[in-house]
Amino acid sequence: MQTWDQRQPIYQQLADLLAAQLLDGDPPEGQAMPSVRVLAGQYLLNPLTVNRALQALNDEGLLESRRGLGLYVTAGARERLKAVERRRFLEVEWPRLRERLRRLGIGPEQLHWGDTR
Amino acid sequence: MNTAITDLLVEARALTVRYGAKRAVDDVSFTIPKGRVVGLLGHNGAGKTTLMKALVGLARPEGDLRVLGLDPRRQRVQLLASACYIPDVAILPRWARVEDLITLLSGLHPKFSAERARQLLRRTSVGLGDKVRTLSKGMVVQAHLALIAAIDARLMILDEPTLGLDVLSRKAFYEMLIDEWCDGERSVVISTHQVEEIESLLSDVLMLNEGKLVLSISLGDIDARFVALSHDAAVAEQMAAAHPLLRYRTGPGPGGNAAIFDGPPPAHVQALGQRVRPSLVDLFVALTRRPELDRTQF
């Protein structure tokens, strides 16, 4: 069974999981999200929790509701997600990583930045 | 129609069930609205089975009890048309074929749909021609759920349905329940000891300890009411001084300590730890006591 950690509410963890999938193009922009019931069955979650997660994605402008049809991935959702991820990396992860690189004495020339592989 | 009344599938007020001098259920009040998945938690002997029996008219309670707007004792036949129940001692006749059970229920229950039962059974590996005695325990329980869920009811009551099942059978059971039963209108009450496993499925929790209702809350409200702080071993004494409900370990190492508070602790205590999600199993340990532990304590 899917396990949920204790750091955040479960709905937030599901929202993050679904956002990561959207970033990978699953489902692609303009396509329908799986229904609450499908997601509830898939992740063994209470439908109210699933609703809350979808609502959170909706609030972030990643999903839009089409009358009578359900939720669809908005055009530009991936770009928006990527921008959020990029900002999080630059503001949170990168300073930590840079600090660690400095402590380990690793400079730009050792990171093979230009390598394609 | 008055929606405020019909949206509450169960209304219990000051409900007590006595067995002789013992109060198996002791002055319990709660409501269950529609569209909920309610976990009924408690140690063995806490009163879970008795409470469930009262809901379907099999125990004689004192106090007020309305289930689907009906009195379960006096209007049991009417109630059982719209409520279904799998008791903890449920068995299906071993000699019967699954198809026979469908025929039987078609004749017995006015709201049973044979077509729906066959459709639900298609989700499982149970064949219509299979005899019950040839099925594994997990398959029997799934067949039982399929039969019960084919009743067009509004309330389902399951008394430890997954007891003794392996993890895959439990998962299949809960998948069918969520997929096929929970439609936002019907509610289900499930008792279980597998608190950790069922937490994410639940919308609400009723927690019994020695017949008393020690917690009745929606899962969403748990985060708002209870505060769990993970903290370092170095501040353990200050945490303890703030009277948490429970202190527990969350992992190895000196950082793997946590304390759970009912309501926010003072700010200087909150600053000592990091807020984490209080898990249902921690609350369960905090709010219930095994009777044998109580005896040794005094």
Side-chain angles (χ1 to χ4, degrees), chain B residues 46 86 98 105 126 136 170 208 264 282:
Chain B
I86 304 186
V98 174
L105 273 164
V126 179
S136 71
R170 296 202 297 271
L208 285 173
D282 297 327

Side-chain angles (χ1 to χ4, degrees), chain A residues 1 4-10 13 37-38 40-41 43-49 52, chain B residues 37 170-171 174-175 178-180 182-183 197 200-203 220 223 276-277 279 282:
Chain A
M1 291 192 183
W4 308 95
D5 68 40
Q6 286 210 11
R7 285 192 293 274
Q8 294 189 88
I10 293 172
Q13 294 180 54
R37 273 176 96 164
V38 166
Y43 293 103
L44 286 181
L45 285 173
N46 187 278
L48 297 173
T49 309
R52 239 177 129 185
Chain B
V37 182
R170 296 202 297 271
K171 189 166 185 285
Y174 289 129
E175 267 170 10
I178 289 288
D179 259 13
E180 304 288 354
C182 301
D183 62 353
E197 198 169 281
S200 69
L201 281 176
L202 302 178
S203 64
D223 289 345
V276 291
R277 180 171 67 87
S279 79
D282 297 327

